Amino acid sequence: MVDIENFWAECKEELSTSFQTIVYEVWIEKLKPVCFVDNKLVLSTIAQQAKRTVESKYLDRIKNVAVSKNPSVSDVIIILESQAAEFMEKQNDFSENNNSPSKTDKSQRTVKKCPFLEKYTFDAFVEGKSNAYALAACKTVSENPGTKYNPLFIYSGVGLGKTHLLHAIGNLIYKQSPKSNVLYVSAETLVTELISVIRSKSPEDNTHFREKYRSCDILMIDDIQFLIGKDATQEAFFHIFNDLYHENKQIILTSDRSPKDLTTLEDRLRTRFSWGLTVDIQAPDMETRVAILKNKAAQSRFSLSDEVAEFIAENSTSNIREMEGLLNKIIFFSSLSNNTITTRSLAEEALSDFIEDKKDSIDTSDIVGAVCKYYKISTEDLFSKKKTKNLVEPRMVAIYLITELLPTPLVQIGEIFGGRDHTTIIHARDKITDEIKVNPRIRITVADIKNMLLNR
Ligand code: ADP
Ligand code: MG
C-alpha cells in the first residue's frame, strides 16, 4: 500500500519547482492528501473558491506529476475538507493493479521500503550557526533513540529545515536497522485519522489506530501546532505520548513555535513537550544560504556561479524553500536558453518577474490593514502619536513590514505615520529586525501577518 503522505510529499516537491512560488504557496501547498479511492488521488481544500481555482487552472499539471510518480494513479480529485470523512469511508488501498506493471512495481516498492524522502539526508543538510544545535540533537537521537533527549522538540519558521531533519533521522535509522518501526506523520494527518476513527464508530478502527501509534519505536509528529484547538486529538495524543514515553520510545516533534508559545494547547501537553530537549532553527545567515544553494545546485548538477548564488541569497533571507524556488527558476531558464546564467544582471533579469511580482501586489494600505486587523486596532490609532504599549508594537511592526516589502522611501513612511522623522522609522525597523532574532513571539507575529498579506 502506498503511503499517501509520502506520495503527496514527493509530488509536492516536484510541483514546488514547476509552479511560480506564489502560486505554489497559495494554491498547491495547502492541498491536503485525503486518501485513494479507486486509484484516484483525493486531495482536499478548505474553500469552494480554492477548489474551483485549482480545478480550472492547476489540476492538469498536478495530475501529470502524480501519474509520473506512479502510473497507477488514474485521476486526481479535489474535494472540500468537510467531505474528507465521507471519502475516507470509500477509500481502498492503493493497490498495484492492472495498468502499468513494471514501473508501478518499482515505485511502489520503494515507497514501501523506506518511507522517507531519499534526498532529505543528514549529508544533504548544510550546517550553519542557525541550525547547528538542532542538527546535533537530531544526530544524537538517531544514534541513540529513546535514551537521551526525549521528547526532542524542534521549532522554527517555515521552510527552515524541520521536515528535512525528520526525514534525515528516519533515513538514518532505517539504514541502520531497517526493522525498526519509525512512524512519521504530520499533525494534520493525525487529526484526519482520528476524525475518521471517531466517525466510523467501529471498535476495530479504533484498535487499529491505537496499535499503529503505540507499536512504533520512534514517533515523529510534524507541525504539532496544528493540534491547537483540536481537543479530541490532543486527548488521544496525550495518551499515545504517555505510553510511548514510559516505554522509552523516542518522540520527536516539530512546530512553528516553542512549547511555551503554543499557548492555547493544553497545559499538560505543553509541559510534556518540554520534558526533553527543545531546540530551535533560526533563519540562516548569508554564508549558510550560499552554501545551501551550492549544495542544491550540485544535486541538480548545475554549475552555480558565486555571483548568482549571492544574488539569490540576498533576495531570499528567511525561507529556504522559497530560496530553492529562485534557484530552480535560474536552472530552468538556463536550460531553456541553453545558456547558463552566470552573472548577477542576468539573474536579476530572470528573476525580476518573481521578485517584483510579490512586491507589486502589496501596497502600504494592505500592510497597514493587515497589521490593524491582526492587532485589532484602528488605523487612526496606528498613525496617532499615542505611545501606549498596545499601539507601539503594531506601529513598529507595520513600519518594519513596509521597509521590508516595499521600496517606499523612509521619509515617505514617516509622513504616512503622522509626520514622524525618518530616524524614528529607522529605529522602528531596526528594533523589529533585532526582536525577530531573539523573540519568537515577534517572529511568529511578523510571519503570520506576512502570510495574511501573501495569501489574500
Ligand atoms: P520546514 O519543515 O521547516 O518548513 P523543510 O524541511 O520543508 O522546512 O525545508 C524546506 C526546504 O529547505 C527543503 O527543500 C530543505 O531541503 C531545505 N533546507 C532547509 N534547511 C536546509 C539546510 N540546512 N541544508 C540544506 N537544505 C535545507
Ligand atoms: Mg515542514
Side-chain angles (χ1 to χ4, degrees):
M1 179 186 162
V2 169
D3 179 318
I4 191 165
E5 280 289 323
N6 284 309
F7 179 69
W8 179 238
E10 280 185 22
C11 293
K12 280 210 296 191
E13 277 299 311
E14 190 160 333
L15 290 164
S16 70
T17 60
S18 79
F19 282 112
Q20 252 205 340
T21 311
I22 189 97
V23 169
Y24 175 76
E25 283 178 358
V26 173
W27 302 112
I28 313 296
E29 199 182 15
K30 294 201 167 66
L31 294 171
K32 287 185 204 142
V34 179
C35 56
F36 287 106
V37 176
D38 301 332
N39 284 12
K40 293 185 188 110
L41 171 64
V42 182
L43 303 171
S44 75
T45 176
I46 323 169
Q48 189 67 41
Q49 179 56 40
K51 174 170 147 58
R52 264 188 243 122
T53 308
V54 174
E55 280 174 344
S56 62
K57 287 174 137 177
Y58 309 120
L59 196 57
D60 284 347
R61 201 143 9 136
I62 298 176
K63 212 184 293 179
N64 287 343
V65 169
V67 173
S68 75
K69 298 265 168 219
N70 193 322
S72 288
V73 172
S74 62
D75 205 352
V76 178
I77 330 177
I78 310 293
I79 61 163
L80 289 174
E81 218 167 74
S82 51
Q83 301 170 290
E86 173 194 326
F87 273 79
M88 289 192 63
E89 271 171 25
K90 289 192 238 165
Q91 75 175 312
N92 31 33
D93 289 356
F94 181 51
S95 55
E96 296 171 42
N97 61 2
N98 43 45
N99 17 29
S100 54
S102 59
K103 204 166 171 200
T104 313
D105 281 355
K106 190 167 158 278
S107 64
Q108 291 200 351
R109 235 182 285 132
T110 39
V111 174
K112 201 173 176 184
K113 240 178 147 186
C114 175
F116 301 100
L117 291 175
E118 229 173 282
K119 62 180 185 174
Y120 286 168
T121 58
F122 284 123
D123 284 344
F125 194 84
V126 176
E127 180 170 356
K129 251 191 274 160
S130 53
N131 59 37
Y133 285 122
L135 178 60
C138 289
K139 284 186 172 166
T140 305
V141 158
S142 317
E143 280 148 21
N144 305 296
T147 52
K148 220 167 171 189
Y149 306 134
N150 205 12
L152 173 62
F153 190 103
I154 309 164
Y155 70 96
S156 79
V158 294
L160 293 181
K162 299 182 295 294
T163 301
H164 184 138
L165 283 174
L166 293 187
H167 280 259
I169 294 173
N171 275 315
L172 186 63
I173 295 181
Y174 186 82
K175 202 163 125 198
Q176 287 166 347
S177 39
K179 284 198 181 134
S180 52
N181 184 358
V182 186
L183 187 57
Y184 165 93
V185 69
S186 72
E188 285 181 75
T189 308
L190 184 68
V191 172
T192 315
E193 279 182 354
L194 191 75
I195 292 175
S196 101
V197 167
I198 293 171
R199 294 227 173 115
S200 89
K201 295 196 178 98
S202 138
E204 291 94 70
D205 285 354
N206 197 2
T207 315
H208 179 74
F209 173 81
R210 289 165 47 149
E211 270 311 297
K212 172 176 166 187
Y213 285 93
R214 290 180 187 169
S215 64
C216 66
D217 302 310
I218 295 161
L219 176 63
M220 305 197 259
I221 310 255
D222 209 356
D223 293 317
I224 199 87
Q225 75 277 359
F226 197 76
L227 295 194
I228 288 175
K230 314 282 192 314
D231 294 345
T233 319
Q234 285 183 34
E235 173 73 24
F237 182 59
F238 177 75
H239 295 294
I240 295 169
F241 184 104
N242 284 345
D243 289 352
L244 293 177
Y245 185 84
H246 288 123
E247 286 186 40
N248 293 328
K249 304 284 179 64
Q250 181 70 48
I251 302 161
I252 309 166
L253 308 164
T254 75
S255 166
D256 67 350
R257 58 202 84 181
S258 74
K260 104 175 151 349
D261 288 314
L262 284 164
T263 39
T264 40
L265 202 71
E266 264 191 67
D267 277 349
R268 54 182 187 164
L269 271 181
R270 284 204 294 151
T271 322
R272 273 165 175 71
F273 292 171
S274 325
W275 278 354
L277 178 72
T278 300
V279 283
D280 71 337
I281 307 176
Q282 297 284 334
D285 56 18
M286 181 73 183
E287 195 188 338
T288 312
R289 296 203 299 280
V290 169
I292 292 173
L293 283 166
K294 294 257 168 178
N295 185 297
K296 301 277 176 195
Q299 277 178 23
S300 306
R301 296 183 213 296
F302 179 77
S303 152
L304 178 67
S305 71
D306 291 346
E307 231 177 276
V308 173
E310 277 163 24
F311 176 76
I312 300 174
E314 279 164 19
N315 278 286
S316 185
T317 54
S318 55
N319 180 335
I320 297 171
R321 190 178 301 120
E322 192 179 281
M323 189 172 77
E324 270 186 80
L326 296 180
L327 172 66
N328 287 332
K329 284 189 184 69
I330 293 283
I331 298 177
F332 177 66
F333 286 126
S334 297
S335 71
L336 270 190
S337 59
N338 237 337
N339 206 351
T340 304
I341 293 174
T342 50
T343 65
R344 173 178 280 264
S345 59
L346 284 176
E348 207 167 341
E349 199 182 312
L351 299 179
S352 67
D353 263 5
F354 168 72
I355 294 170
E356 291 307 313
D357 250 356
K358 223 166 148 183
K359 291 178 179 165
D360 275 0
S361 62
I362 297 169
D363 62 22
T364 40
S365 63
D366 294 325
I367 296 177
V368 165
V371 170
C372 289
K373 189 168 163 200
Y374 188 89
Y375 284 100
K376 301 192 178 64
I377 56 170
S378 70
T379 39
E380 290 75 32
D381 277 343
L382 188 79
F383 293 144
S384 73
K385 299 267 184 224
K386 289 185 211 161
K387 292 219 165 92
T388 48
K389 209 171 155 218
N390 69 323
L391 298 176
V392 171
E393 181 180 307
R395 201 173 284 140
M396 290 203 285
V397 166
I399 291 170
Y400 167 83
L401 284 168
I402 294 173
T403 59
E404 206 210 39
L405 299 173
L406 304 177
T408 320
L410 296 175
V411 175
Q412 199 177 323
I413 302 177
E415 282 161 12
I416 298 172
F417 281 80
R420 286 177 160 82
D421 190 69
H422 78 281
T423 52
T424 314
I425 303 302
I426 294 175
H427 169 75
R429 180 196 64 192
D430 294 350
K431 172 89 180 139
I432 298 296
T433 309
D434 292 344
E435 283 288 313
I436 285 173
K437 293 186 194 136
V438 295
N439 181 340
R441 189 184 58 78
I442 294 285
R443 178 169 58 73
I444 292 162
T445 300
V446 170
D448 281 348
I449 299 174
K450 263 197 203 166
N451 259 339
M452 276 165 72
L453 286 161
L454 289 173
N455 299 335
R456 283 172 305 161

